[in-house]
Amino acid sequence: MARRRDESGSPAAECSLEAGSREMSEPWKGALGCVGVALLFLMTIGVLYWQVAERPEPAWLLKGQLSGLVWHSKRSVLALRSVFGEQSFALIQPRHLPLSGHTLLTNRCWYNQSLLCSSWDGVSELQILLEPINQSLAECYRVEWTPRHCQVALKDCFSMDNVSWYGGGSMHSQYWPINNADIDSQPFIISNLQDTPSGYGSVLERYFLGSTGVAVQIHPEVPLHIGIESKKWLCLGVPPNAEMVPLRYTMCVSDNLTAVHQQVGRMIPAALPDTDILQLPFWRLQKAADIIAKLEHNARSLSNKLKQHQLGDGVLDLTEQYTQLLLAEEHSATDSTGKTLIPHRRYLNLHQLRLCITLSPYISIDSNQFQTILQEGRENFWISLPATSHSSQVPFVMKWRGTFVVKLNLSNEEARNWFVAQAHRLHRRLDVKYITLEGGEGRPNINGVQHHSWQLSSDEYITQFTLLAEKLGNTTIISTATQTAHIPVFVRMAPRQSDWSYAGLKGVIPTVLHYSLLGYSFFIPDAVGGSLTKGFLADEELFIRWLQIVTFLPVMAFSTPPWVFGENWIVNMTQMCIQRHQSFVVPLIRKQAVELASLGHPVFRPLWWVSPDDPKTLTIDDEFLIGDEVLVAPVTAPGRVHRDIYLPGSSYQWKDVSTAQVFDGGTLLQDYPVPLTDVPVFVRQDSGDSQQTAS
């Protein structure tokens, strides 16, 4: 029988062909997929082989176990790089080298694998020594640029591109990190920021820390200039000088910035200051007083108000002006030997208040003390103009806070002992609990007194003045600090503006982190609301948000008392904050002080301390840690009742002390509710402690 023509063209036949086609194509698809995977694998192997075997080794000028130095001639940049990959710890641009064409750098000390020597005719010589690495220590390079003639200005600039920098000097507008600052190159010395807002402030160290795990320490004898080109360069320099002083500094690298700071930048104090001060709020008088009677009246009035509003014990913090009133009264009651001429009386009946006085190295030329010392022939107690063949030594007169004064000669041991004896006498007779040493900063005109120039214009005077605090005991407070983190004293923060800017409230936390990083964890913050306002603060919100931050700092200080707002809730809020400070914060600070004394770890820490490899933590300037245990995230902007909060440490969990909610570390809490009466505080949870987790 003949086959029908339409059999092969039936729908059934078409379905059969399609099924067969699918059966034939599936194996091919699988085969092609395998080939693609194989090609990708081979390409990956090729890339890795090129990186390991074929890529040319960097032309190391020096090479250590962790890092090495490479010179980029086209850019005239020295790169401090990791030997394990592409990571750069720092890029340094020597600005004093010629910029025309390619700048070559050849090592004349090639025979010494730990030493780099190079020179540029008529400009400078470079020497870099790779120090032997010790167990558990960072890898360090000692850098020295020497000018070839006296007209050369040395300058090394560290790139801020992809590097956050910390440390150096405090500023009028304090940033954390310092990348956003913009400061012209100038002498790196402490200045009075009220007179010189573009200068460097009251706490300063020749130490900078980079987020890539690099630390830079500048030699103390270098006449250093520092400039910050916003978000671009951090520049170290030495101006032209007849002595041709070299620019010397040390760069150290480690696994991360926390590790390198612990190995290089930590400061272990010789002893701790008197921590009883932590329990006592500081109160300042606002009403003016030019005689003892008015001062006594104002002090009694403040004491009565504190008692009325149940704000507890505290410290009456007298300015230098008020201290001078007491000093004049005391001087009139004794002869030159300190013998009492009239019966002892206790000035200022303060009830529950302790007394803090303020002394400076300056004394008015109109004061009885100054006249008496001159009459006794002890004019060498003061920094003086040099004697000539026609005249004897004359005290050098300058201005301090609008008054003509002379300045204590710290090179004279008798003058130092006189100053300390005067402080001790006031301490005994006036029942003083704390003494603040203030002043010493600034750059007055020093023409004609070159042999005393260090006492008038450098930080050496501030250091020597601060060392007097050791003779006064551990209840001393200082207003300026450099190279003195080992001394058991409190540091008073510089006055701040009464606003929300980085010169006001926004700059408080960056200042806290800056002080602590440099070794000054015991400090007295500026008064709640800032102390540069005239009269009392009027902004209730600013007062409350400032109060909430200060609650978690070592000491609470007030210039504007809470009752001036006429609102009971503000007084009640102040009471609660003082109580929280005394019951929760003070024990925590004392606990962390033990770690500070043994390991040198700061009490107040940035978020990157517990999570140094997390880039999100590097620029957070409105949160801080107390030890590794407590995270505080205040509101620092006006009109906000929500804020974003980042919780660091992927291995941590954090519990909100107000809501008891527990969150994983590495979490960003967006628009977290923060009413005006609250401040977010999180306590770190150990594994197994959390009972409720919120995403």
Side-chain angles (χ1 to χ4, degrees):
M1 176 181 283
R3 180 180 298 175
R4 290 181 298 176
R5 287 185 58 193
D6 62 351
E7 184 177 5
S8 61
S10 68
E14 291 177 3
C15 289
S16 177
L17 287 173
E18 290 176 4
S21 176
R22 283 197 299 270
E23 291 174 359
M24 293 290 291
S25 63
E26 290 298 333
W28 283 103
K29 289 181 179 179
L32 289 173
C34 291
V35 170
V37 170
L39 287 174
L40 180 61
F41 177 75
L42 290 173
M43 291 173 63
T44 303
I45 293 298
V47 170
L48 292 174
Y49 178 80
W50 176 82
Q51 289 182 339
V52 174
E54 296 294 329
R55 187 180 60 178
E57 177 77 5
W60 301 106
L61 295 169
L62 287 177
K63 185 179 180 182
Q65 298 178 29
L66 302 175
S67 61
L69 288 170
V70 177
W71 178 255
H72 298 295
S73 60
K74 291 184 179 180
R75 300 168 58 192
S76 295
V77 169
L78 190 65
L80 179 58
R81 290 178 45 179
S82 169
V83 298
F84 303 114
E86 294 291 333
Q87 177 192 2
S88 286
F89 292 104
L91 292 177
I92 306 112
Q93 183 183 79
R95 295 278 179 90
H96 48 274
L97 296 184
L99 297 178
S100 57
H102 293 189
T103 303
L104 300 177
L105 189 154
T106 55
N107 188 3
R108 295 186 287 105
C109 300
W110 55 268
Y111 50 85
N112 186 338
Q113 294 184 349
S114 298
L115 187 63
L116 166 66
C117 309
S118 192
S119 64
W120 288 262
D121 290 341
V123 181
S124 61
E125 295 180 354
L126 170 65
Q127 186 176 97
I128 302 178
L129 174 66
L130 173 60
E131 297 180 343
I133 191 168
N134 297 318
Q135 187 175 6
S136 78
L137 291 180
E139 190 166 73
C140 297
Y141 300 79
R142 282 192 290 171
V143 181
E144 181 172 317
W145 288 98
T146 304
R148 296 294 295 271
H149 64 79
C150 62
Q151 297 301 316
V152 173
L154 301 172
K155 182 181 284 190
D156 270 5
C157 292
F158 289 76
S159 175
M160 288 183 165
D161 188 20
N162 296 319
V163 185
S164 295
W165 287 95
Y166 313 91
S170 53
M171 308 170 191
H172 179 257
S173 294
Q174 189 68 54
Y175 298 100
W176 182 271
I178 62 175
N179 295 44
N180 288 328
D182 195 356
I183 299 180
D184 292 337
S185 183
Q186 59 186 280
F188 194 58
I189 62 173
I190 292 175
S191 57
N192 188 328
L193 292 180
Q194 295 181 54
D195 299 331
T196 315
S198 60
Y200 296 103
S202 56
V203 168
L204 174 150
E205 297 293 342
R206 297 180 170 214
Y207 173 75
F208 294 91
L209 180 65
S211 60
T212 51
V214 59
V216 180
Q217 292 179 307
I218 300 94
H219 193 277
E221 299 300 322
V222 171
L224 182 64
H225 282 53
I226 295 288
I228 302 175
E229 300 174 14
S230 182
K231 301 179 182 178
K232 295 180 181 178
W233 300 96
L234 167 64
C235 296
L236 325 176
V238 174
N241 60 92
E243 296 81 10
M244 294 191 292
V245 178
L247 172 60
R248 289 187 288 172
Y249 61 88
T250 300
M251 300 183 296
C252 298
V253 299
S254 191
D255 296 334
N256 54 62
L257 75 168
T258 303
V260 75
H261 179 71
Q262 290 175 337
Q263 295 161 2
V264 176
R266 66 176 181 168
M267 176 60 68
I268 299 178
L272 296 177
D274 178 17
T275 56
D276 288 347
I277 194 175
L278 301 174
Q279 293 279 359
L280 302 170
F282 273 52
W283 300 90
R284 280 205 165 181
L285 298 173
Q286 280 281 7
K287 293 182 180 179
D290 54 2
I291 59 174
I292 285 289
K294 286 185 179 179
L295 179 58
E296 287 182 312
H297 172 78
N298 294 344
R300 283 195 301 269
S301 176
L302 173 64
S303 180
N304 292 335
K305 282 283 189 180
L306 292 173
K307 186 176 181 180
Q308 174 188 343
H309 293 289
Q310 301 178 3
L311 291 170
D313 295 345
V315 176
L316 177 60
D317 187 14
L318 294 183
T319 63
E320 186 190 15
Q321 175 193 355
Y322 293 146
T323 302
Q324 289 302 318
L325 284 178
L326 296 177
L327 198 59
E329 188 85 1
E330 173 67 12
H331 182 74
S332 66
T334 59
D335 62 17
S336 60
T337 65
K339 182 179 178 181
T340 302
L341 300 178
I342 62 175
H344 169 73
R345 61 168 293 200
R346 175 174 173 171
Y347 308 107
L348 309 180
N349 187 11
L350 300 177
H351 302 296
Q352 77 271 29
L353 290 177
R354 282 78 164 176
L355 182 61
C356 177
I357 61 173
T358 302
L359 299 175
S360 81
Y362 303 102
I363 186 170
S364 170
I365 61 174
D366 296 325
S367 67
N368 291 332
Q369 278 184 302
F370 175 67
Q371 299 298 331
T372 300
I373 289 174
L374 282 186
Q375 292 169 7
E376 295 170 351
R378 295 186 290 174
E379 58 272 359
N380 59 351
F381 274 27
W382 318 111
I383 297 173
S384 302
L385 295 168
T388 66
S389 57
H390 304 291
S391 64
S392 59
Q393 201 173 45
V394 178
F396 178 64
V397 178
M398 63 195 77
K399 264 196 171 184
W400 166 250
R401 294 179 174 169
T403 301
F404 287 105
V405 297
V406 290
K407 191 174 185 180
L408 188 69
N409 179 8
L410 291 179
S411 65
N412 185 316
E413 184 179 3
E414 188 181 359
R416 296 196 303 269
N417 292 337
W418 168 84
F419 182 88
V420 172
Q422 176 182 249
H424 280 311
R425 187 169 65 250
L426 283 172
H427 195 282
R428 291 191 305 269
R429 286 182 55 81
L430 302 180
D431 198 19
V432 171
K433 179 65 175 176
Y434 303 104
I435 296 177
T436 297
L437 297 184
E438 184 179 69
E441 70 270 24
R443 285 169 276 179
N445 181 3
I446 60 173
N447 292 333
V449 284
Q450 297 304 319
H451 66 302
H452 281 310
S453 61
W454 70 267
Q455 297 206 63
L456 288 167
S457 63
S458 76
D459 288 337
E460 178 63 22
Y461 188 93
I462 291 173
T463 301
Q464 294 302 320
F465 186 56
T466 301
L467 290 176
L468 293 180
E470 288 186 297
K471 298 183 178 182
L472 297 177
N474 65 349
T475 58
T476 308
I477 302 162
I478 59 176
S479 66
T480 53
T482 180
Q483 302 178 55
T484 49
H486 61 284
I487 298 178
V489 295
F490 275 78
V491 181
R492 186 185 295 276
M493 281 189 178
R496 305 200 68 79
Q497 293 179 185
S498 299
D499 57 33
W500 299 86
S501 71
Y502 279 98
L505 176 64
K506 186 70 174 174
V508 172
I509 294 176
T511 303
V512 168
L513 297 176
H514 173 76
Y515 277 42
S516 295
L517 181 74
L518 297 183
Y520 302 97
S521 287
F522 290 98
F523 51 83
I524 299 178
D526 191 26
V528 172
S531 61
L532 292 182
T533 184
K534 292 183 178 179
F536 292 133
L537 181 69
D539 188 336
E540 295 180 0
E541 184 188 9
L542 182 63
F543 181 89
I544 292 297
R545 292 306 192 190
W546 207 305
L547 174 67
Q548 291 168 344
I549 296 177
V550 170
T551 299
F552 295 90
L553 302 183
V555 176
M556 301 182 72
F558 296 87
S559 179
T560 296
W563 56 80
V564 301
F565 295 100
E567 299 283 351
N568 288 334
W569 73 270
I570 295 181
V571 176
N572 294 337
M573 185 78 177
T574 305
Q575 292 173 347
M576 289 187 293
C577 286
I578 291 175
Q579 194 278 329
R580 189 179 198 181
H581 175 82
Q582 294 171 339
S583 62
F584 175 71
V585 179
V586 171
L588 182 62
I589 292 176
R590 284 176 170 155
K591 177 183 177 182
Q592 296 304 321
V594 176
E595 187 175 332
L596 170 68
S598 60
L599 300 175
H601 296 171
V603 173
F604 301 92
R605 303 171 187 176
L607 268 59
W608 52 252
W609 187 270
V610 298
S611 192
D613 297 320
D614 184 352
K616 297 185 185 70
T617 64
L618 299 177
T619 56
I620 293 176
D621 64 358
D622 56 1
E623 303 177 33
F624 63 93
L625 299 167
I626 305 177
D628 291 348
E629 299 182 25
V630 173
L631 183 148
V632 186
V635 171
T636 59
R640 300 286 181 85
V641 291
H642 294 81
R643 61 154 295 171
D644 292 349
I645 300 173
Y646 187 72
L647 303 175
S650 58
S651 61
Y652 292 173
Q653 287 189 319
W654 299 92
K655 182 174 76 172
D656 186 326
V657 298
S658 296
T659 66
Q661 285 184 298
V662 178
F663 302 90
D664 291 330
T667 300
L668 176 64
L669 307 179
Q670 294 182 306
D671 291 327
Y672 202 70
V674 189
L676 181 60
T677 56
D678 193 20
V679 53
V681 179
F682 298 83
V683 178
R684 196 187 84 186
Q685 297 291 102
D686 293 327
S687 58
D689 286 351
S690 61
Q691 298 180 5
Q692 178 186 5
T693 303
S695 58

